């Protein structure tokens, strides 16, 4: 460039760089993005968060992060727009920095998104744990994973029962699922099924809250996790972080347990931020080894363990079986069955099957392909996730999607319906016509040997924690 030459800014984005706040967009999926804003950016006078973008979860865009959560610097709140509009958003608002803040996305897809951002001239940032993690005055056990559907929740429940058996009160703090009214969801505590019902949850929220509450474990969730943690600290001796997807924990843990899925070897190296979880782990649980076909089980499990050890040689490794149980009922051998699986696990989690599929195979049933009978939004789900085979994802993010799920069940010709979701799906679909089908529940649970091994690994810390006194100690 010749001496004295200058660059003329685009008229849509021209602004003085002197004494200007840094303009930021946070790319998310209705969870970590809000947490990152609350902890890192909300009170930063040098930053103006222009917008959130939303992906991965249906119908969470085209709304506003409300002013009471956004803080005094954002009296109109912050818009939430589709991620597909990101590049235009950067250019229109002269954005300086894009912060990536969601999980269970292929590493290559993260970098493809980074390339699009960098091509606009903006910076691309991943916020680290030092900046975004809350610290508690109570002991914290975190359960995270390398992929959605690896078995975090059953591991969290097993650990909660170990802690309770030693007289400790447990607050299970669940990764956010803020799919409804964000103002109303700021801080949530569920001690009874009535508490859950009163929150008007999606099926996906029920899948995480219902079973712990049925088992006597109080669940905490929300949008502003500083406030969520403060409430949990009042109630409990130990905080138990139950992660979402394969995200990093929001709380700094005293013990971090990370669950890897033996059915998805190598995924700990290829889906963000699973590898970071492995590197941070104190205990690595290789789950569902009993579901790996016997002819290749030894080689597959050995390969997963070797990969984990190369990443984190200091962590204890637990080999875990998760046998599947099926509710009592008539024999389904040679019967046509509709298999319903946990929605996030078989959609963005990438698993083609779950507990209901395993139960159908074990009992000699013949799965029916529901795809030709999919109704409404379920047809779009199959188009978005072409890896899905003859399973019906239990999608229920909206009332319409719940109605579409029920209508698909009713329309699918079968002799029985097997549900691999962690909830009482019949109750969740109460009031909808299921075509006379009775839903039977199939579930993974950690085997006794695995629970005993986890208890033994936690025992020295539990002994110390149990001497601290009651919830306010």
């Amino acid at each position: 460039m010749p001496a004295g030459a200058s660059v003329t800014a685009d008229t849509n984005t021209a602004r003085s760089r002197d004494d200007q706040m840094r303009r930021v967009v946070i790319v998310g999926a209705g969870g970590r993005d809000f947490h990152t804003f609350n902890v890192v950016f909300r009170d930063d006078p040098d930053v103006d968060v222009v917008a959130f973008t939303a992906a991965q979860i249906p119908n969470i865009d085209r709304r506003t992060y409300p002013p009471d959560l956004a803080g005094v610097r954002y009296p109109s709140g912050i818009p939430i727009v589709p991620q597909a509009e990101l590049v235009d958003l950067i250019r229109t608002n002269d954005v300086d920095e894009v912060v990536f803040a969601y999980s269970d996305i292929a590493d290559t897809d993260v970098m493809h998104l980074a390339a699009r951002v960098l091509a606009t001239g903006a910076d691309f940032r991943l916020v680290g744990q030092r900046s975004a993690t809350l610290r508690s005055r109570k002991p914290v056990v975190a359960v995270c994973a390398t992929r959605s559907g690896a078995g975090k929740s059953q591991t969290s429940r097993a650990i909660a029962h170990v802690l309770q058996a030693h007289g400790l009160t447990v607050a299970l703090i669940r990764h956010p699922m803020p799919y409804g009214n964000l103002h109303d969801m700021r801080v949530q505590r569920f001690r009874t099924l009535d508490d859950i019902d009163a929150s008007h949850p999606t099926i996906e929220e029920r899948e995480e809250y219902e079973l712990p509450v049925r088992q006597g474990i109080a669940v905490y969730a929300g949008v502003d996790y500083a406030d969520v943690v403060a409430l949990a600290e009042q109630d409990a001796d130990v905080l138990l972080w139950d992660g979402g997807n394969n995200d990093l924990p929001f709380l700094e843990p005293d013990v971090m347990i990370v669950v890897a899925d033996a059915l998805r070897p190598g995924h700990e190296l290829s889906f963000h931020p699973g590898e970071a979880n492995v590197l941070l782990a104190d205990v690595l649980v290789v789950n569902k080894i009993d579901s790996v076909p016997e002819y290749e089980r030894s080689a597959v499990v050995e390969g997963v363990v070797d990969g984990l050890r190369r990443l984190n040689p200091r962590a204890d490794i637990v080999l875990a079986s998760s046998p599947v149980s099926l509710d009592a009922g008539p024999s389904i051998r040679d019967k046509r069955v509709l298999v319903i699986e946990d929605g996030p696990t078989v959609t963005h989690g990438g698993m083609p099957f779950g507990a209901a599929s395993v139960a159908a195979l074990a009992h000699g049933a013949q799965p029916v392909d529901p795809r030709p009978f999919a109704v409404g939004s379920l047809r779009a789900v199959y188009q978005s996730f072409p890896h899905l085979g003859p399973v019906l994802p239990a999608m229920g993010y909206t009332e319409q999607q719940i109605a579409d799920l029920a209508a698909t069940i009713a329309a699918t010709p079968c002799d029985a319906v097997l549900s691999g979701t962690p909830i009482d799906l019949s109750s969740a679909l109460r009031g909808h016509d299921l075509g006379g089908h009775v839903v039977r529940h199939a579930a993974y649970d950690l085997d006794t040997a695995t629970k005993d091994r986890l208890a033994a690994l936690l025992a020295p810390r539990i002994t110390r924690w149990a001497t601290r006194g009651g919830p306010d100690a």
Side-chain angles (χ1 to χ4, degrees):
M1 181 177 292
S6 62
V7 176
T8 302
D10 183 275
T11 55
N12 290 327
T13 59
R15 64 182 173 101
S16 169
R17 293 290 174 173
D18 297 331
D19 300 322
Q20 290 283 331
M21 291 187 290
R22 188 166 177 80
R23 297 184 182 181
V24 172
V25 170
I26 302 177
V27 172
R32 172 164 287 276
D33 46 351
F34 300 154
H35 173 71
T36 299
F37 169 79
N38 294 340
V39 175
V40 180
F41 296 112
R42 180 165 56 194
D43 298 323
D44 187 340
D46 297 322
V47 169
D48 176 22
V49 175
V50 173
F52 296 96
T53 69
Q56 200 174 65
I57 308 299
N59 304 305
I60 60 170
D61 53 20
R62 303 301 182 198
R63 54 182 184 159
T64 299
Y65 195 65
D68 60 307
L69 285 165
V72 295
R73 297 179 56 246
Y74 300 90
S76 299
I78 302 171
I80 305 169
V81 303
Q83 184 178 300
E85 299 177 8
L86 176 61
V87 170
D88 287 341
L89 188 67
I90 295 169
R91 290 173 173 157
T92 302
N93 293 276
D94 199 12
V95 168
D96 300 292
E97 179 176 280
V98 171
V99 175
F100 186 88
Y102 67 103
S103 58
D104 212 17
I105 177 171
D107 291 347
T108 52
D109 290 338
V110 176
M111 294 315 299
H112 286 315
L113 182 64
R116 291 194 289 274
V117 170
L118 296 175
T120 69
D123 296 338
F124 187 84
R125 179 182 176 188
L126 297 171
V127 175
Q129 289 297 86
R130 186 181 303 155
S131 299
T133 304
L134 299 169
R135 288 150 188 86
S136 175
R137 60 188 175 84
K138 295 297 179 73
V140 176
V141 180
V143 179
C144 299
T146 59
R147 289 302 310 274
S148 296
K152 296 182 303 295
S153 294
Q154 67 209 51
T155 304
S156 295
R157 293 192 299 271
I159 291 168
H161 293 315
V162 169
L163 295 167
Q164 290 173 328
H166 286 79
L168 294 164
T169 305
V170 177
L172 190 153
I173 302 180
R174 168 65 197 172
H175 185 280
M177 305 179 75
Y179 307 143
N181 183 304
L182 297 174
H183 169 82
D184 293 344
M185 301 177 77
R186 183 179 193 127
V187 178
Q188 297 174 298
R189 176 174 57 194
F190 306 108
R191 289 170 165 164
T192 67
L193 295 178
D194 287 342
D195 291 340
I196 298 173
D197 290 341
S199 72
H200 307 292
T202 63
I203 283 179
E204 287 70 21
E205 290 167 276
R206 282 190 182 276
E207 287 175 341
E208 303 303 335
Y209 305 155
E210 191 173 288
L211 192 52
V213 168
R214 286 183 184 275
Q215 296 181 0
I217 306 165
V219 177
Y220 298 72
V223 183
D224 193 325
Y225 272 73
D227 291 346
V228 173
V229 170
L231 177 61
E233 287 176 332
Q234 293 176 22
D235 295 346
D237 301 313
V238 179
L239 309 186
L240 177 56
W241 175 260
D242 184 18
N245 288 350
N246 65 343
D247 203 359
L248 293 156
F250 289 10
L251 291 116
E252 183 177 301
D254 295 274
V255 181
M256 183 155 166
I257 298 169
V258 175
V259 184
D261 192 340
L263 295 172
R264 287 175 281 183
H267 283 214
E268 66 279 358
L269 288 172
S270 52
F271 285 84
H272 173 80
E275 184 174 354
N277 277 327
V278 173
L279 292 167
L280 290 168
D282 299 297
V283 179
L284 291 162
V285 178
V286 182
N287 194 24
K288 295 185 279 191
I289 62 173
D290 52 324
S291 292
V292 180
E294 190 170 357
Y295 72 88
E296 61 177 351
R297 185 175 302 161
S298 177
V300 168
V301 173
E302 183 178 344
V304 172
V305 170
D306 286 348
L308 295 174
R309 284 202 187 282
R310 282 195 297 271
L311 286 174
N312 185 347
R314 68 175 178 80
D316 290 297
I317 292 185
V318 177
L319 299 183
S321 293
S322 286
V324 173
S325 61
L326 178 64
D327 285 350
S331 172
I332 56 173
R333 181 166 297 279
D334 298 324
K335 300 294 186 181
R336 301 171 304 159
V337 297
L338 170 60
V339 172
I340 303 175
E341 300 288 14
D342 169 67
T345 297
V346 297
T347 54
H348 62 258
M351 273 293 289
F353 64 89
S357 301
V358 174
L361 178 64
H363 288 266
Q366 299 176 1
V368 173
D369 189 346
R371 288 173 291 187
F373 309 100
V375 173
S377 61
L378 271 298
R379 289 197 293 269
V381 170
Y382 284 116
Q383 292 170 358
S384 298
F385 299 97
H387 72 274
L388 285 170
V391 301
L392 176 61
M395 305 295 284
Y397 289 102
T398 64
E399 287 297 328
Q400 184 57 56
Q401 199 166 52
I402 291 171
D404 292 343
L405 175 63
T408 301
I409 294 171
T412 304
C414 60
D415 302 309
V417 176
L418 304 187
S419 169
T421 70
I423 62 171
D424 181 350
L425 189 60
S426 296
S427 294
L429 297 176
R430 186 181 294 117
H432 294 277
D433 178 15
L434 302 183
H437 298 313
V438 176
V439 179
R440 292 173 63 184
H441 185 232
Y444 287 118
D445 193 18
L446 292 178
D447 66 338
T448 301
T450 301
K451 294 175 181 178
D452 290 346
R453 175 70 171 139
L454 290 172
L457 289 170
L458 289 170
R461 292 179 182 271
I462 290 174
T463 299
R464 293 199 299 271
W465 297 340
T467 64
R468 292 192 178 189
D472 292 322

